[in-house]
Amino acid sequence: MASRRPAPTAAPYRCTECGWTTLKWVGRCGECQSWGTVVEAAAQTGITRSVTAVAPGAARAARRITEIDTQDAPRRTSGVGEFDRVLGGGIVPGAAILLSGEPGVGKSTLLLEVAAQSARAGRRVLYASGEESAAQVRLRAERTGALHDELYLAAETDLATILGHIDQVEPDLLVVDSVQTVSSALSDGAAGQPAQVREVASTLIRVAKERGLPVVIVGHVTKDGTIAGPRVLEHLVDVVCHFEGDRQTSLRFVRALKNRFGPTDEVGCFDMTGSGIAEVSDPSALFLGHGDPEPGTCVTIAMEGRRALPVEIQALAVKQTAPNPRRIVNGVDSSRVAMVLAVLESRIGVSLADKDVYVSTVGGVRLVEPAADLAIAIAVANAVQNRTVSKRLAAIGELTLTGEIRNVTQAAQRASEAARLGYHTVLDSRSRKLAQALNELKVRGMPRDDVTPAF
């Protein structure tokens, strides 16, 4: 009788992402479903090695936390105020910053502006470009006005050569664009593979910590919007920023997803122009319509990080004879709009079964918070009845299925920002019910000729 072959003691292949093991190589991990992460694992020898303790030097000896002087690491302004806002006030020496975003959104343009402003402030900057040639970066710098003698440019994809440029230039700020294009001879695989990205990032971060050199690394994103490469990359860096925006509009946002030196709820606003990227320090007028008040419009106060921004919501109701009316939304959550329409028809008596309803925001902003429910309801009700409200009125509140108006987060900040911008009337949870809020605006379930606009 044939004997069964003994099982191997260790699987020869391992996933670099999750640690899943297999006896043969496969292109896709069977556990985390990542492609190209299964590599040959090191053979286990069974020898237990011990680590010998090394006495630290006087400069690296452990000290009481109360004896640590924070003046040794003062923040440095990048010269771009909106970028400093997201970072928590400026760039900390030795910090590793990861900036991600979709292709073509403007990451390189933003960092070239940061590099130029830092150079103008008297700090030497090294910009290592692995995606564009030096001439291409120079052309973009001429177009955006980012030329300066203290800004050094190197078109390089080899990690060792970049380290040599650091020794030669001795910069005060390093920009690497991007980490997926740089490779190291100490790691197998092509540039952009998880092992290469991990080796390049860890080396750059080690250099940043040893020299107190802030490093800004550009990272690609996948189709679903997440940062490409191993997840350990996000854990290695100190700050993770995401640069986002719609290609159809010029507005761009920078959000902090992780920040060891500041808050993660700040948002920086930028405007992409033909001559480069410009800061938008007060974006209050970007998401508002212009001209006289029109039926079917209402303003709400939305929160973008710690910023309170007025956003105009527009609605249009068109009578139709088809059995299935259309509900088209842009910039708002379609499920919340469907709920608001159901509340209007069931609790208020606004007839919408024979009308196509269109709801949209102004300026390309996207609202995902429930604080816009009340403004959507008022805009749709006014669109059905052809009513207008004052341009100095703002609506803030979340609607429930019973028609109740609930309070929202940061309500006091929204109300104070509305008052600062000149919105004298604010409808919020003090109205308690949607019917009461609509009655305050002289809006009824059915249009009446004897009802005049309230404002």
Side-chain angles (χ1 to χ4, degrees):
M1 183 175 180
S3 61
R4 181 180 300 177
R5 177 181 296 179
T9 58
Y13 295 94
R14 182 184 301 274
C15 176
T16 58
E17 291 286 333
C18 64
W20 177 74
T21 57
T22 178
L23 296 178
K24 62 179 181 179
W25 181 87
V26 291
R28 187 177 189 179
C29 174
E31 181 68 22
C32 64
Q33 304 299 316
S34 300
W35 288 95
T37 60
V38 178
V39 297
E40 188 173 1
Q44 298 183 4
T45 60
I47 302 175
T48 303
R49 294 183 174 91
S50 60
V51 179
T52 304
V54 177
R60 304 185 63 177
R63 294 182 292 170
R64 294 184 178 91
I65 191 172
T66 55
E67 298 177 356
I68 305 298
D69 187 8
T70 58
Q71 299 300 324
D72 295 339
R75 293 182 183 270
R76 307 171 184 171
T77 176
S78 65
V80 181
E82 291 298 298
F83 192 57
D84 289 340
R85 171 195 290 268
V86 177
L87 297 179
I91 300 177
V92 176
I97 304 170
L98 176 64
L99 179 65
S100 65
E102 295 182 355
V105 73
K107 302 185 297 298
S108 300
T109 304
L110 172 62
L111 293 184
L112 189 60
E113 179 67 20
V114 170
Q117 293 295 341
S118 299
R120 293 188 183 101
R123 289 185 289 271
R124 185 170 296 180
V125 182
L126 175 60
Y127 191 102
S129 176
E131 298 184 348
E132 298 175 289
S133 64
Q136 291 174 328
V137 179
R138 166 64 190 261
L139 289 175
R140 188 170 71 249
E142 289 181 350
R143 177 175 58 86
T144 60
L147 296 178
H148 197 276
D149 290 338
E150 288 298 315
L151 175 56
Y152 289 76
L153 177 63
E156 189 58 59
T157 59
D158 181 64
L159 178 60
T161 308
I162 293 178
L163 297 180
H165 285 299
I166 295 175
D167 292 335
Q168 181 181 9
V169 177
E170 296 182 353
D172 299 315
L173 175 64
L174 172 64
V175 179
V176 179
D177 185 12
S178 63
V179 68
Q180 277 83 7
T181 61
V182 181
S183 61
S184 173
L186 301 178
S187 180
D188 297 331
Q193 294 294 323
Q196 284 284 359
V197 172
R198 184 184 296 106
E199 176 66 25
V200 171
S202 60
T203 302
L204 292 175
I205 293 172
R206 185 177 66 253
V207 172
K209 303 303 180 183
E210 292 177 351
R211 305 191 180 193
L213 171 66
V215 178
V216 182
I217 304 173
V218 177
H220 293 169
V221 297
T222 59
K223 292 182 179 180
D224 57 356
T226 59
I227 300 176
R231 294 288 298 181
V232 71
L233 181 62
E234 301 179 38
H235 299 287
L236 289 175
V237 298
D238 301 311
V239 182
V240 178
C241 296
H242 185 66
F243 198 32
E244 62 184 33
D246 189 356
R247 291 189 179 183
Q248 307 302 322
T249 62
S250 61
L251 188 64
R252 301 290 188 268
F253 290 108
V254 176
R255 305 177 188 273
L257 305 181
K258 170 189 175 182
N259 193 351
R260 291 174 177 168
F261 313 118
T264 57
D265 55 357
E266 284 288 3
V267 177
C269 298
F270 298 90
D271 185 27
M272 187 66 69
T273 63
S275 58
I277 192 167
E279 300 179 62
V280 183
S281 57
D282 188 10
S284 301
L286 292 178
F287 314 118
L288 298 177
H290 303 286
D292 298 331
E294 295 290 339
T297 62
C298 187
V299 174
T300 187
I301 307 298
M303 295 300 299
E304 286 289 344
R306 293 186 178 183
R307 271 186 170 147
L309 303 177
V311 178
E312 182 175 306
I313 297 178
Q314 298 180 347
L316 185 64
V318 181
K319 190 174 182 60
Q320 54 85 36
T321 58
N324 297 320
R326 291 185 293 179
R327 306 291 187 251
I328 308 298
V329 300
N330 181 32
V332 291
D333 189 4
S334 58
S335 60
R336 298 208 67 86
V337 172
M339 186 198 74
V340 170
L341 298 183
V343 172
L344 280 173
E345 189 157 8
S346 176
R347 303 294 181 181
I348 309 301
V350 179
S351 178
L352 299 171
D354 59 342
K355 297 179 179 62
D356 293 335
V357 178
Y358 304 84
V359 180
S360 177
T361 58
V362 175
V365 67
R366 178 166 180 80
L367 298 179
V368 295
E369 56 180 357
D373 291 351
L374 182 57
I376 294 174
I378 293 176
V380 173
N382 287 339
V384 171
Q385 303 186 56
N386 198 30
R387 307 292 185 187
T388 60
V389 296
S390 172
K391 296 190 68 173
R392 298 303 178 185
L393 178 138
I396 309 168
E398 175 187 358
L399 289 182
T400 65
L401 293 180
T402 62
E404 178 188 1
I405 303 176
R406 294 180 57 86
N407 199 10
V408 297
T409 59
Q410 299 174 297
Q413 183 177 353
R414 297 175 197 258
S416 62
E417 181 67 12
R420 186 186 71 85
L421 296 174
Y423 293 94
H424 307 300
T425 305
V426 177
L427 291 178
D428 51 21
S429 58
R430 291 173 294 183
S431 299
R432 301 181 64 84
K433 289 285 187 178
L434 176 60
Q436 180 180 345
L438 295 179
N439 285 334
E440 294 178 13
L441 298 175
K442 298 294 190 294
V443 177
R444 300 291 186 264
M446 296 297 293
R448 291 168 46 188
D449 296 334
D450 58 342
V451 175
T452 58
F455 300 92

